[in-house]
Amino acid sequence: MIDIHSHILYGVDDGSESREMSLEMLRMSEASGVTDIFATPHVNRKGLVPDWTDLQAKAAELQRAADETDIHIAIHLGAEVELNGATMDLLKECKDDRAYCLGGSHYVLIELTDRTRPNIAENMLSTLQLRGYWPVLAHIERFPQLLEEPDRLLGWIEKGILCQCNTGSFTGYFGPKVKERVRTLYQNGVIHLLGSDGHRTAFRTTDIREAHEELERLARKEKRDDLWQTATANAALILKDRVCYPDVPDHWHVKKRGFFSRLFGH
């Protein structure tokens, strides 16, 4: 498994608080079957932009510490870039250094917020693509505005924009509404990448074993391909900086709710 979204770098954002916590988060990842993990600290949140060179040094230091303590996992650097007006100034052009991109690729993890309007986001994403970036939308199940316009989402995917979801959303960690949304996304086949979005060791962890079991159960129930394997294969393309061409549904399918679900609101 390749974890595409995590906050394992300590002392950078609201993620890991210490070197020891970061190493424990990596141990949790390794125990979950993760071979590669992307460190994606928050960038451009509340106007804060960590220096890319500093982030590179922190990621390299953490990799050395992991190697020295026999944690067999590869750390790749990226960022979770909040999409707003300042993003256009930050990501001016996808140059050779690929600052804030995922693992030195053209891919960049983009975070939408409650304040984001889909029509404005669409223009910004198109501009980023023209500048050479390949956007990946972070945890889109937590962005209900977009799911209210599923045809727009399908249009974005047709233009090459990928969608990442958090593993904890499948287990209900972020609440029943988010779980319902991620199930809808799953049933429509528009989840391309998975990430723990791990922040700490006591909560929002990088332990994704429960989610793996839930995804296996869903694959059997829905008779769909194993998303765990599909997401890993797509993440491997990011590591190779190759274009991912996911299938796009012909239309958006809304699963009908059963009588008791409608009656009791579950």
Side-chain angles (χ1 to χ4, degrees), residues 38-244:
F38 282 81
T40 53
H42 289 292
V43 168
N44 198 34
R45 176 176 280 193
K46 297 181 179 179
L48 299 178
V49 179
D51 182 79
W52 182 244
T53 302
D54 290 344
L55 293 178
Q56 289 176 310
K58 286 180 177 291
E61 189 277 330
L62 184 58
Q63 182 70 75
R64 287 193 297 270
D67 294 341
E68 291 169 358
T69 52
D70 292 324
I71 301 174
H72 305 290
I73 194 166
I75 300 170
H76 309 279
L77 183 59
E80 182 182 7
V81 183
E82 182 174 310
L83 187 67
N84 54 44
T87 310
M88 299 298 101
D89 295 327
L90 176 65
L91 302 178
K92 293 182 178 180
E93 187 177 348
C94 195
K95 299 180 180 179
D96 293 337
D97 64 357
R98 309 281 168 77
Y100 305 107
C101 290
L102 294 171
S105 71
H106 288 77
Y107 290 93
V108 60
L109 186 65
I110 296 293
E111 180 183 29
L112 306 177
T113 72
D114 293 339
R115 300 180 301 278
T116 306
R117 294 186 179 181
N119 60 326
I120 297 176
E122 184 169 314
N123 292 333
M124 290 181 176
L125 292 169
S126 295
T127 298
L128 290 177
Q129 287 181 301
L130 289 174
R131 294 178 181 180
Y133 294 96
W134 301 343
V136 176
L137 301 181
H139 44 60
I140 62 167
E141 71 275 20
R142 292 166 56 185
F143 187 59
Q145 297 97 314
L146 184 56
L147 298 187
E148 292 170 1
E149 303 181 51
D151 289 339
R152 185 189 294 272
L153 176 60
L154 295 181
W156 290 5
I157 297 171
E158 287 180 346
K159 294 176 182 178
I161 294 172
L162 302 182
C163 300
Q164 176 257 318
C165 286
N166 288 353
T167 50
S169 298
F170 288 93
T171 63
Y173 183 86
F174 298 100
K177 290 184 178 179
V178 172
K179 184 176 182 179
E180 183 178 352
R181 289 188 212 121
V182 82
R183 286 285 296 272
T184 298
L185 291 163
Y186 173 84
Q187 290 160 356
N188 280 278
V190 294
I191 302 174
H192 312 118
L193 297 157
L194 295 171
S196 65
D197 197 6
H199 278 64
R200 303 287 178 89
T201 51
F203 60 92
R204 291 186 69 174
T205 74
T206 51
D207 187 340
I208 56 178
R209 284 173 286 190
E210 183 182 352
H212 189 187
E213 294 175 359
E214 176 63 15
L215 286 170
E216 289 182 331
R217 188 190 69 80
L218 278 177
R220 293 191 298 269
K221 179 181 179 181
E222 303 286 345
K223 295 182 174 58
R224 301 187 63 89
D225 292 338
D226 187 345
L227 179 57
W228 184 271
Q229 297 299 328
T230 300
T232 298
N234 290 339
L237 292 176
I238 291 180
L239 289 175
K240 297 176 183 177
D241 198 22
R242 292 173 55 187
V243 179
C244 178

